[in-house]
Amino acid sequence: MKQEKIIVKLGKDSYPVSIGMGLIGDIGAAVGNILQGSTVAIVTNDVVAPLYLEKVRSSLKQSGFRVVTVIIPDGEEQKSIETAKRICEELLKNNIDRTHSLLALGGGVIGDLTGFAASIYMRGIPFIQVPTTLLAQVDASIGGKTAVNLPAGKNLIGTFYQPKAVFIDVDVLDSLKEEVFTEGMSEIIKHGIIKDRNYFGFLEGNLKGILSKDKNLLVKMISVSCRIKADIVSKDEKESGLRAILNYGHTVAHAVESLSSYKSVLHGQAVSIGMSVAGRIAVLKGIFPEKELEKQNKLLQDAGLPVSQSRFAADDIIKALKSDKKVRDGKVRFVLPVRIGKVTIDDDIDDALISKAVNSVFI
Ligand code: GLY
């Protein structure tokens, strides 16, 4: 099967996103056309390293690069300013200069952290994204949002800093635990709801093959998702308007994640629950037909994602919503669907309505 290529169009910062099978085995030749310097520093973690580091390293070496590796422990707690500093110190120790590049090999934590380190090390050096989870492949690796967390909340320190290229190898999805693959489906279904009704229909019609990891279907699906995200980012890189629609489901997701201390509920699962609440708010407001909400929730559930929760009290969710960073002038901002394929942004929703929707999902 041929490789798909999508361009994130951002003028002089434009870059290609390549999607296909077996890409990481040829990464050296592929980045040889993109990077100028002699050295690539791979940043990865101790779970991904045993699986893919050697393949990436030897391919880069074969193409004549000097390769440095920085391996950090796995886990969200590594997305910290301390780990970013540690990465920068390792780079310095290995004589990485501004002509050299970083390569993020891992999931969202590695991608966000490496992008952040690349954006601040010596005032910015080039970097490449090689995402190894479905979630990172269709979301975090594209669009240049980099970040580390603070104890007060997720992603509170960060930059917009675009990679030079993104390489998405669907073969790496074979090593994902089922629930980690499934959580990626949440952002994928989100893309259909916010932007593309036909894509939503494609997901409904091909779900069985997708969940059994049919590689041709995966390449097709990831390509459409990446194209949707790339189009949105191209139009609104810094999230001054349109890009915020990518936050569909994320208002409540952040509340769920903060209550679960970012551990027991995966991000994609929290987004799925969040889409269920946002969909219900839209129905209660009279802007989204009940039938459409049923269609959304059925696909989420068929994909193995939750649309309700009994673990958290509705009141705690509402409290957490108010302290979320998306609160502006005391209002909570929601992305709401008007039909599958189209959403709107609303920061003027009656508290009673939010409470009713939250109570219907947190049962
Ligand atoms: N993950 C949302 C965005 O990149 O804007």
Short mmCIF file of all heavy atoms in Angstrom, two decimals, residues 244 247-256 274 277-278 281-282 285 314-336 344-355 357-358:
data_model
loop_
_atom_site.label_atom_id
_atom_site.label_comp_id
_atom_site.label_asym_id
_atom_site.label_seq_id
_atom_site.Cartn_x
_atom_site.Cartn_y
_atom_site.Cartn_z
N ALA A 244 -10.16 25.97 18.46
CA ALA A 244 -10.80 25.58 19.72
C ALA A 244 -11.83 24.46 19.51
O ALA A 244 -12.16 23.75 20.46
CB ALA A 244 -11.46 26.79 20.37
N ASN A 247 -11.28 21.10 20.86
CA ASN A 247 -11.48 20.85 22.29
C ASN A 247 -12.85 20.25 22.59
O ASN A 247 -13.26 20.20 23.75
CB ASN A 247 -11.30 22.15 23.09
CG ASN A 247 -9.88 22.66 22.99
OD1 ASN A 247 -8.94 21.88 22.86
ND2 ASN A 247 -9.71 23.97 23.04
N TYR A 248 -13.56 19.81 21.56
CA TYR A 248 -14.86 19.16 21.81
C TYR A 248 -14.67 18.00 22.79
O TYR A 248 -13.79 17.15 22.61
CB TYR A 248 -15.45 18.62 20.49
CG TYR A 248 -16.78 17.93 20.66
CD1 TYR A 248 -17.80 18.51 21.40
CD2 TYR A 248 -17.02 16.68 20.08
CE1 TYR A 248 -19.02 17.87 21.58
CE2 TYR A 248 -18.25 16.04 20.24
CZ TYR A 248 -19.24 16.65 21.00
OH TYR A 248 -20.45 16.01 21.19
N GLY A 249 -15.45 17.99 23.84
CA GLY A 249 -15.37 16.94 24.86
C GLY A 249 -14.32 17.19 25.92
O GLY A 249 -14.28 16.50 26.94
N HIS A 250 -13.47 18.20 25.69
CA HIS A 250 -12.32 18.38 26.58
C HIS A 250 -12.63 19.18 27.84
O HIS A 250 -11.89 19.09 28.81
CB HIS A 250 -11.15 19.02 25.82
CG HIS A 250 -10.45 18.05 24.90
ND1 HIS A 250 -11.09 17.42 23.86
CD2 HIS A 250 -9.17 17.58 24.89
CE1 HIS A 250 -10.24 16.62 23.23
NE2 HIS A 250 -9.07 16.70 23.84
N THR A 251 -13.72 19.95 27.84
CA THR A 251 -14.03 20.75 29.04
C THR A 251 -14.29 19.80 30.22
O THR A 251 -13.65 19.90 31.27
CB THR A 251 -15.25 21.66 28.78
OG1 THR A 251 -15.03 22.34 27.54
CG2 THR A 251 -15.45 22.66 29.88
N VAL A 252 -15.20 18.86 30.01
CA VAL A 252 -15.50 17.90 31.07
C VAL A 252 -14.35 16.89 31.22
O VAL A 252 -14.03 16.45 32.32
CB VAL A 252 -16.84 17.19 30.80
CG1 VAL A 252 -17.03 15.97 31.70
CG2 VAL A 252 -17.99 18.18 31.02
N ALA A 253 -13.68 16.56 30.10
CA ALA A 253 -12.55 15.61 30.18
C ALA A 253 -11.50 16.11 31.17
O ALA A 253 -10.99 15.34 31.99
CB ALA A 253 -11.91 15.42 28.80
N HIS A 254 -11.19 17.41 31.12
CA HIS A 254 -10.16 17.93 32.03
C HIS A 254 -10.63 17.83 33.49
O HIS A 254 -9.82 17.56 34.38
CB HIS A 254 -9.80 19.36 31.66
CG HIS A 254 -9.01 19.44 30.39
ND1 HIS A 254 -8.98 20.56 29.60
CD2 HIS A 254 -8.25 18.52 29.76
CE1 HIS A 254 -8.23 20.32 28.53
NE2 HIS A 254 -7.78 19.08 28.60
N ALA A 255 -11.93 18.03 33.71
CA ALA A 255 -12.45 17.89 35.08
C ALA A 255 -12.31 16.43 35.55
O ALA A 255 -11.86 16.17 36.67
CB ALA A 255 -13.92 18.33 35.11
N VAL A 256 -12.65 15.50 34.67
CA VAL A 256 -12.54 14.07 35.02
C VAL A 256 -11.08 13.71 35.29
O VAL A 256 -10.75 13.05 36.28
CB VAL A 256 -13.09 13.18 33.87
CG1 VAL A 256 -12.76 11.72 34.09
CG2 VAL A 256 -14.59 13.37 33.72
N GLY A 274 -16.72 13.33 28.09
CA GLY A 274 -16.92 14.76 27.88
C GLY A 274 -17.79 15.05 26.66
O GLY A 274 -18.61 15.97 26.67
N VAL A 277 -21.36 14.48 27.64
CA VAL A 277 -21.95 15.61 28.38
C VAL A 277 -22.25 16.78 27.42
O VAL A 277 -23.35 17.35 27.43
CB VAL A 277 -21.02 16.09 29.52
CG1 VAL A 277 -21.58 17.36 30.18
CG2 VAL A 277 -20.80 15.00 30.55
N ALA A 278 -21.26 17.12 26.57
CA ALA A 278 -21.45 18.26 25.66
C ALA A 278 -22.63 17.99 24.71
O ALA A 278 -23.44 18.89 24.44
CB ALA A 278 -20.17 18.51 24.87
N ILE A 281 -25.78 18.58 26.66
CA ILE A 281 -26.04 20.02 26.83
C ILE A 281 -26.68 20.57 25.54
O ILE A 281 -27.66 21.32 25.58
CB ILE A 281 -24.74 20.81 27.15
CG1 ILE A 281 -24.23 20.43 28.54
CG2 ILE A 281 -24.96 22.32 27.06
CD1 ILE A 281 -22.87 21.03 28.91
N ALA A 282 -26.12 20.16 24.40
CA ALA A 282 -26.62 20.66 23.11
C ALA A 282 -28.07 20.20 22.88
O ALA A 282 -28.89 20.97 22.37
CB ALA A 282 -25.71 20.18 21.98
N LYS A 285 -30.27 22.27 25.08
CA LYS A 285 -30.40 23.63 24.54
C LYS A 285 -31.30 23.67 23.30
O LYS A 285 -31.63 24.74 22.79
CB LYS A 285 -29.01 24.16 24.12
CG LYS A 285 -28.28 24.88 25.24
CD LYS A 285 -27.16 25.74 24.70
CE LYS A 285 -27.65 27.16 24.51
NZ LYS A 285 -26.64 28.17 24.45
N ALA A 314 -21.47 14.05 40.44
CA ALA A 314 -21.76 15.16 39.51
C ALA A 314 -21.31 16.49 40.12
O ALA A 314 -20.76 17.35 39.43
CB ALA A 314 -23.24 15.15 39.18
N ASP A 315 -21.54 16.67 41.44
CA ASP A 315 -21.19 17.95 42.09
C ASP A 315 -19.69 18.22 42.02
O ASP A 315 -19.26 19.36 41.85
CB ASP A 315 -21.61 17.93 43.57
CG ASP A 315 -23.12 18.10 43.69
OD1 ASP A 315 -23.77 18.36 42.66
OD2 ASP A 315 -23.64 17.95 44.82
N ASP A 316 -18.89 17.16 42.18
CA ASP A 316 -17.42 17.33 42.12
C ASP A 316 -16.99 17.73 40.70
O ASP A 316 -16.07 18.52 40.51
CB ASP A 316 -16.70 16.04 42.52
CG ASP A 316 -16.87 15.75 44.01
OD1 ASP A 316 -17.16 16.72 44.75
OD2 ASP A 316 -16.76 14.59 44.41
N ILE A 317 -17.66 17.15 39.70
CA ILE A 317 -17.35 17.51 38.31
C ILE A 317 -17.66 18.98 38.07
O ILE A 317 -16.86 19.72 37.50
CB ILE A 317 -18.16 16.62 37.32
CG1 ILE A 317 -17.74 15.15 37.43
CG2 ILE A 317 -18.04 17.12 35.88
CD1 ILE A 317 -16.38 14.80 36.88
N ILE A 318 -18.82 19.42 38.56
CA ILE A 318 -19.22 20.82 38.34
C ILE A 318 -18.23 21.76 39.02
O ILE A 318 -17.79 22.76 38.45
CB ILE A 318 -20.68 21.04 38.82
CG1 ILE A 318 -21.62 20.29 37.87
CG2 ILE A 318 -21.04 22.52 38.87
CD1 ILE A 318 -23.00 20.04 38.39
N LYS A 319 -17.79 21.40 40.23
CA LYS A 319 -16.79 22.22 40.95
C LYS A 319 -15.49 22.28 40.15
O LYS A 319 -14.90 23.34 39.97
CB LYS A 319 -16.53 21.59 42.32
CG LYS A 319 -16.57 22.62 43.45
CD LYS A 319 -16.29 22.01 44.80
CE LYS A 319 -17.47 21.24 45.39
NZ LYS A 319 -17.11 20.29 46.45
N ALA A 320 -15.06 21.12 39.65
CA ALA A 320 -13.81 21.08 38.88
C ALA A 320 -13.92 21.89 37.58
O ALA A 320 -12.97 22.53 37.15
CB ALA A 320 -13.43 19.63 38.57
N LEU A 321 -15.12 21.86 36.98
CA LEU A 321 -15.33 22.63 35.74
C LEU A 321 -15.07 24.11 35.96
O LEU A 321 -14.49 24.79 35.12
CB LEU A 321 -16.77 22.47 35.26
CG LEU A 321 -17.14 21.20 34.50
CD1 LEU A 321 -18.62 21.19 34.19
CD2 LEU A 321 -16.33 21.09 33.22
N LYS A 322 -15.49 24.60 37.10
CA LYS A 322 -15.38 26.03 37.40
C LYS A 322 -13.92 26.45 37.58
O LYS A 322 -13.56 27.60 37.36
CB LYS A 322 -16.15 26.37 38.68
CG LYS A 322 -17.60 26.04 38.58
CD LYS A 322 -18.45 27.28 38.63
CE LYS A 322 -19.85 26.93 38.21
NZ LYS A 322 -20.70 27.99 37.93
N SER A 323 -13.09 25.52 38.03
CA SER A 323 -11.69 25.91 38.26
C SER A 323 -10.80 25.61 37.05
O SER A 323 -9.62 25.86 37.05
CB SER A 323 -11.14 25.23 39.52
OG SER A 323 -11.14 23.85 39.32
N ASP A 324 -11.41 25.07 36.00
CA ASP A 324 -10.63 24.75 34.81
C ASP A 324 -10.10 26.02 34.16
O ASP A 324 -10.71 27.07 34.22
CB ASP A 324 -11.54 24.00 33.81
CG ASP A 324 -10.77 23.45 32.64
OD1 ASP A 324 -10.23 22.36 32.77
OD2 ASP A 324 -10.72 24.14 31.59
N LYS A 325 -8.94 25.89 33.52
CA LYS A 325 -8.35 27.09 32.92
C LYS A 325 -9.20 27.68 31.78
O LYS A 325 -8.97 28.80 31.35
CB LYS A 325 -6.92 26.81 32.45
CG LYS A 325 -6.84 25.92 31.22
CD LYS A 325 -5.39 25.70 30.84
CE LYS A 325 -5.30 24.46 29.97
NZ LYS A 325 -4.69 24.61 28.72
N LYS A 326 -10.17 26.89 31.31
CA LYS A 326 -10.99 27.43 30.23
C LYS A 326 -12.11 28.34 30.74
O LYS A 326 -12.90 28.86 29.98
CB LYS A 326 -11.56 26.30 29.39
CG LYS A 326 -10.51 25.74 28.50
CD LYS A 326 -11.03 24.70 27.55
CE LYS A 326 -9.88 24.13 26.77
NZ LYS A 326 -8.87 23.49 27.61
N VAL A 327 -12.16 28.47 32.07
CA VAL A 327 -13.16 29.39 32.61
C VAL A 327 -12.76 30.82 32.25
O VAL A 327 -11.65 31.24 32.51
CB VAL A 327 -13.24 29.26 34.15
CG1 VAL A 327 -14.15 30.33 34.73
CG2 VAL A 327 -13.73 27.88 34.55
N ARG A 328 -13.61 31.54 31.58
CA ARG A 328 -13.32 32.93 31.23
C ARG A 328 -14.41 33.81 31.82
O ARG A 328 -15.57 33.61 31.54
CB ARG A 328 -13.29 33.10 29.71
CG ARG A 328 -12.21 32.21 29.19
CD ARG A 328 -12.09 32.22 27.72
NE ARG A 328 -11.13 31.14 27.45
CZ ARG A 328 -10.43 31.03 26.38
NH1 ARG A 328 -10.54 31.92 25.45
NH2 ARG A 328 -9.58 30.04 26.23
N ASP A 329 -13.99 34.74 32.64
CA ASP A 329 -14.95 35.63 33.32
C ASP A 329 -16.05 34.82 33.98
O ASP A 329 -17.23 35.15 33.87
CB ASP A 329 -15.58 36.62 32.32
CG ASP A 329 -14.54 37.59 31.79
OD1 ASP A 329 -13.57 37.85 32.53
OD2 ASP A 329 -14.70 38.07 30.66
N GLY A 330 -15.67 33.75 34.64
CA GLY A 330 -16.66 32.97 35.38
C GLY A 330 -17.51 32.05 34.52
O GLY A 330 -18.35 31.32 35.04
N LYS A 331 -17.32 32.06 33.21
CA LYS A 331 -18.12 31.21 32.32
C LYS A 331 -17.31 29.97 31.93
O LYS A 331 -16.10 30.05 31.77
CB LYS A 331 -18.48 31.96 31.03
CG LYS A 331 -19.32 33.19 31.26
CD LYS A 331 -20.78 32.82 31.35
CE LYS A 331 -21.65 34.07 31.43
NZ LYS A 331 -22.98 33.79 31.92
N VAL A 332 -17.99 28.87 31.77
CA VAL A 332 -17.32 27.67 31.29
C VAL A 332 -17.60 27.57 29.79
O VAL A 332 -18.74 27.68 29.36
CB VAL A 332 -17.86 26.41 32.00
CG1 VAL A 332 -17.07 25.19 31.60
CG2 VAL A 332 -17.80 26.59 33.51
N ARG A 333 -16.51 27.37 29.02
CA ARG A 333 -16.69 27.33 27.57
C ARG A 333 -16.85 25.89 27.07
O ARG A 333 -16.03 25.03 27.39
CB ARG A 333 -15.48 27.98 26.90
CG ARG A 333 -15.66 28.08 25.40
CD ARG A 333 -14.67 29.02 24.79
NE ARG A 333 -13.35 28.42 24.74
CZ ARG A 333 -12.38 28.86 23.96
NH1 ARG A 333 -12.55 29.89 23.18
NH2 ARG A 333 -11.21 28.28 23.97
N PHE A 334 -17.87 25.66 26.31
CA PHE A 334 -18.11 24.33 25.73
C PHE A 334 -18.13 24.39 24.21
O PHE A 334 -18.63 25.36 23.63
CB PHE A 334 -19.47 23.78 26.17
CG PHE A 334 -19.46 23.13 27.53
CD1 PHE A 334 -19.72 23.88 28.66
CD2 PHE A 334 -19.20 21.78 27.66
CE1 PHE A 334 -19.71 23.28 29.92
CE2 PHE A 334 -19.18 21.17 28.92
CZ PHE A 334 -19.44 21.92 30.05
N VAL A 335 -17.60 23.35 23.58
CA VAL A 335 -17.82 23.14 22.15
C VAL A 335 -19.07 22.26 22.08
O VAL A 335 -19.12 21.20 22.72
CB VAL A 335 -16.61 22.44 21.49
CG1 VAL A 335 -16.88 22.21 20.00
CG2 VAL A 335 -15.34 23.24 21.71
N LEU A 336 -20.09 22.71 21.35
CA LEU A 336 -21.35 21.96 21.29
C LEU A 336 -21.66 21.54 19.86
O LEU A 336 -21.50 22.34 18.93
CB LEU A 336 -22.51 22.83 21.80
CG LEU A 336 -22.44 23.33 23.25
CD1 LEU A 336 -23.69 24.16 23.57
CD2 LEU A 336 -22.32 22.17 24.23
N THR A 344 -20.38 24.24 17.37
CA THR A 344 -20.32 25.67 17.64
C THR A 344 -19.65 25.85 19.02
O THR A 344 -19.58 24.90 19.80
CB THR A 344 -21.75 26.27 17.62
OG1 THR A 344 -21.65 27.66 17.82
CG2 THR A 344 -22.65 25.69 18.68
N ILE A 345 -19.16 27.06 19.30
CA ILE A 345 -18.53 27.30 20.60
C ILE A 345 -19.46 28.19 21.42
O ILE A 345 -19.98 29.17 20.92
CB ILE A 345 -17.14 27.94 20.42
CG1 ILE A 345 -16.23 26.95 19.70
CG2 ILE A 345 -16.54 28.33 21.78
CD1 ILE A 345 -14.89 27.50 19.29
N ASP A 346 -19.67 27.80 22.68
CA ASP A 346 -20.65 28.51 23.51
C ASP A 346 -20.08 28.70 24.91
O ASP A 346 -19.71 27.73 25.58
CB ASP A 346 -21.94 27.65 23.56
CG ASP A 346 -23.12 28.44 24.10
OD1 ASP A 346 -22.90 29.39 24.87
OD2 ASP A 346 -24.26 28.06 23.77
N ASP A 347 -19.97 29.98 25.34
CA ASP A 347 -19.52 30.19 26.73
C ASP A 347 -20.60 30.89 27.55
O ASP A 347 -20.33 31.54 28.54
CB ASP A 347 -18.19 30.96 26.77
CG ASP A 347 -18.30 32.34 26.17
OD1 ASP A 347 -19.43 32.74 25.78
OD2 ASP A 347 -17.27 33.03 26.09
N ASP A 348 -21.84 30.72 27.10
CA ASP A 348 -22.93 31.35 27.82
C ASP A 348 -24.03 30.32 28.09
O ASP A 348 -25.17 30.47 27.64
CB ASP A 348 -23.45 32.54 26.98
CG ASP A 348 -24.43 33.39 27.79
OD1 ASP A 348 -24.36 33.34 29.03
OD2 ASP A 348 -25.27 34.07 27.17
N ILE A 349 -23.64 29.28 28.81
CA ILE A 349 -24.61 28.21 29.07
C ILE A 349 -25.06 28.32 30.52
O ILE A 349 -24.23 28.46 31.43
CB ILE A 349 -23.99 26.82 28.80
CG1 ILE A 349 -23.43 26.77 27.37
CG2 ILE A 349 -25.01 25.71 29.01
CD1 ILE A 349 -22.55 25.59 27.10
N ASP A 350 -26.33 28.24 30.69
CA ASP A 350 -26.92 28.30 32.02
C ASP A 350 -26.34 27.21 32.92
O ASP A 350 -26.25 26.05 32.53
CB ASP A 350 -28.43 28.04 31.82
CG ASP A 350 -29.21 28.63 32.94
OD1 ASP A 350 -28.94 29.79 33.29
OD2 ASP A 350 -30.09 27.91 33.47
N ASP A 351 -25.96 27.60 34.16
CA ASP A 351 -25.40 26.62 35.11
C ASP A 351 -26.35 25.44 35.34
O ASP A 351 -25.90 24.29 35.46
CB ASP A 351 -25.14 27.30 36.46
CG ASP A 351 -23.82 28.06 36.44
OD1 ASP A 351 -23.08 27.94 35.43
OD2 ASP A 351 -23.52 28.78 37.42
N ALA A 352 -27.65 25.75 35.38
CA ALA A 352 -28.63 24.69 35.65
C ALA A 352 -28.63 23.64 34.54
O ALA A 352 -28.76 22.44 34.79
CB ALA A 352 -30.02 25.31 35.78
N LEU A 353 -28.40 24.11 33.32
CA LEU A 353 -28.38 23.21 32.17
C LEU A 353 -27.12 22.31 32.19
O LEU A 353 -27.18 21.10 31.95
CB LEU A 353 -28.41 24.07 30.92
CG LEU A 353 -29.09 23.51 29.70
CD1 LEU A 353 -29.82 24.59 28.97
CD2 LEU A 353 -28.04 22.92 28.84
N ILE A 354 -26.00 22.95 32.53
CA ILE A 354 -24.75 22.17 32.65
C ILE A 354 -24.94 21.11 33.72
O ILE A 354 -24.62 19.93 33.54
CB ILE A 354 -23.54 23.09 33.00
CG1 ILE A 354 -23.28 24.08 31.87
CG2 ILE A 354 -22.29 22.25 33.31
CD1 ILE A 354 -22.18 25.11 32.16
N SER A 355 -25.52 21.54 34.84
CA SER A 355 -25.71 20.63 35.96
C SER A 355 -26.64 19.46 35.57
O SER A 355 -26.36 18.30 35.91
CB SER A 355 -26.29 21.46 37.12
OG SER A 355 -26.71 20.65 38.11
N ALA A 357 -27.09 18.21 32.56
CA ALA A 357 -26.37 17.32 31.65
C ALA A 357 -25.34 16.48 32.40
O ALA A 357 -25.22 15.27 32.18
CB ALA A 357 -25.69 18.15 30.55
N VAL A 358 -24.60 17.13 33.29
CA VAL A 358 -23.58 16.40 34.07
C VAL A 358 -24.27 15.31 34.90
O VAL A 358 -23.81 14.16 34.96
CB VAL A 358 -22.76 17.38 34.96
CG1 VAL A 358 -21.93 16.63 35.99
CG2 VAL A 358 -21.87 18.28 34.11
#
